[in-house]
Amino acid sequence: MDIYVLILPLLIGWILDKLLGDPIGLPHPVVGFGKLISFCEKRWNCGTHRMLKGGVAAIMLILLVYAGSVLVLHYLFVLNRWLGIILSAVLVFYCLAGTTLINEVRQVFLAADHSLEEGRKQVSRIVGRDTSELTDQEVRTAALETLAENLSDGVIAPLFWYLLLGVPGMLAYKMVNTLDSMIGYRNERYLQFGCVAAHIDDMANYIPARLTAFLMVLCAGRPGLLRFVGKYGNRHASPNSGYPESALAGILNCRFGGPHVYFGEIVYKPFIGDKDRFIHTQDMHKAVDINRRAEILMVIVNIVCLYLVG
């Protein structure tokens, strides 16, 4: 296989994400994924055997996305190689979500610097918890936690699956991630129906989450923080989210976690880190810098590996 068929879509898609962020107003595959999930959930999340029906729906949708994208891309590459490269690059662009989240986190800190109410309103755009009673520090901490988690879910994991399975693998991962974000909740409605989807997401993110933490520590130039990550990474309720969060908490020398309100219920998250200090705007700038370095490093890793494979 020609090397540019492997590397060009990755580079073009990544550069587009850096320049444009999420394409507001344009059709997005994740929106389509969400409609498919809602269609299945409304019809199957009822009666008995909800776990089985939810598992079948999740696996069916993931395989549909993977197989469908394999067939479409294969046809385009046979028809015209450059058409295949262009579509692949556009799909890589759609699958990466690094730039938009960084911009959103910046807006949270700018809003919080102006007023607490504006900070609460802005952070509600990127977190699932109730933000109406958050303190100024909780607003800022929530934004940084989301930034760290999104580096794994929105950047490193898609690049990891691109390296393993190409664009179809990247798209299949986005379906996995969308399933978890829509039905992977432990509440009365989704506990059974979304159980399998949540476990698939845990498996799909197992290596990327730990790789993300490693890249963050490496980019910070503080390898000793790997012990910190090892100590706190498994304390999160999620088997994966704690690792990038603990890496950022160690880099910033701060503390994440604590009680949060989700859908009217208080959820107690174990603390990650032991230094409860004030978070300032310069901490956000440092976190963004680490995110960007880790992202660039992962792209370089992909290019080197793809070159060796090619």
Side-chain angles (χ1 to χ4, degrees), residues 203-214:
M203 291 186 288
N205 283 294
Y206 186 87
I207 295 175
R210 288 150 181 81
L211 177 60
T212 300
F214 175 75

Side-chain angles (χ1 to χ4, degrees), residues 29-30 33-34 36-37 57-70 73 91-92 94-96 153 157-181 196-197 200-205 208:
V30 172
F33 294 170
L36 287 172
I37 295 166
I59 294 170
M60 178 186 69
L61 290 174
I62 295 165
L63 291 178
L64 176 67
V65 169
Y66 181 80
S69 56
V70 166
L73 288 171
L91 291 173
V92 169
Y94 277 128
C95 288
L96 294 176
D153 294 352
L159 290 173
F160 173 81
W161 286 105
Y162 180 88
L163 183 59
L164 290 187
L165 297 172
V167 172
M170 210 178 199
L171 285 169
Y173 170 77
K174 293 303 289 186
M175 173 56 88
V176 169
N177 202 233
T178 308
L179 279 161
D180 183 64
S181 67
V196 174
I200 293 174
D201 183 77
D202 290 341
M203 291 186 288
N205 283 294

Side-chain angles (χ1 to χ4, degrees), residues 269-307:
K269 294 185 177 182
F271 286 111
I272 296 176
D274 52 16
K275 188 164 184 179
D276 185 18
R277 70 170 184 83
F278 284 104
I279 301 295
H280 303 285
T281 300
Q282 55 263 38
D283 294 307
M284 177 269 293
H285 291 306
K286 186 174 183 179
V288 166
D289 182 57
I290 291 296
N291 264 44
R292 284 179 166 170
R293 292 184 189 183
E295 183 176 344
I296 291 171
L297 184 56
M298 186 62 183
V299 171
I300 292 172
V301 168
N302 270 38
I303 290 173
V304 171
C305 292
L306 291 172
Y307 179 80

